[in-house]
Amino acid sequence: MIVEVDTGSAVPVYEQIRAQLATMIETGLLPAGRQLPPVRQLAADLGLAVNTAARAYRELEAAGLVTSRVRHGTVVADRSTLSPTQIADRLRDAAAEYAAIARRLGVPAERAEAVVRSALQARTTGTPA
């Protein structure tokens, strides 16, 4: 699992971690049942305060993406348990994040939409985007 943070970014570090892990979970890169590194290890690996990594995990747990249990650690939750509202929330969050990236890169809306359509089509046909 590779997570990178940019301490100079306007996006809080915990949110960078949360967003990257959420994407890995939602795309299947981190499958259900996969154990995440302990909070202390993640913080040490990234050179961050433990509370920063802990907040990212709390946010993921609140979103239903992971479950945490004392002495058992944090594992990726079964995605089939997401409610329609949770799914809609995830899509809305991902779309907002994508739109913000496209704006920062100066990509016109039509081009950004075309990239999404291409990615969705590639995902259903099995061809690369």
Side-chain angles (χ1 to χ4, degrees):
M1 177 179 79
I2 297 173
V3 176
E4 296 177 354
V5 295
D6 176 4
T7 56
S9 172
V11 178
V13 174
Y14 79 86
E15 176 57 22
Q16 292 177 49
I17 297 168
R18 186 214 58 80
Q20 289 176 59
L21 291 175
T23 298
M24 286 185 236
I25 292 166
E26 290 164 350
T27 60
L29 188 59
L30 290 175
R34 170 82 181 266
Q35 182 101 23
L36 297 183
V39 170
R40 290 186 188 281
Q41 178 185 338
L42 180 63
D45 290 349
L46 297 174
L48 303 170
V50 172
N51 286 338
T52 301
R55 174 138 185 216
Y57 277 19
R58 281 194 308 272
E59 299 277 335
L60 290 166
E61 187 167 22
L65 293 174
V66 301
T67 58
S68 297
R69 292 186 17 222
V70 176
R71 297 186 190 239
H72 294 282
T74 302
V75 297
V76 175
D78 181 1
R79 292 186 299 155
S80 65
T81 62
L82 293 178
S83 72
T85 300
Q86 289 173 313
I87 291 169
D89 289 346
R90 299 260 189 324
L91 286 173
R92 197 173 15 266
D93 291 348
E97 186 174 341
Y98 178 75
I101 291 168
R103 280 191 297 274
R104 282 194 304 271
L105 294 173
V107 176
E110 298 78 22
R111 178 66 186 131
E113 291 169 2
V115 170
V116 170
R117 278 191 299 278
S118 175
L120 288 169
Q121 188 175 25
R123 183 79 170 161
T124 58
T125 63
T127 59

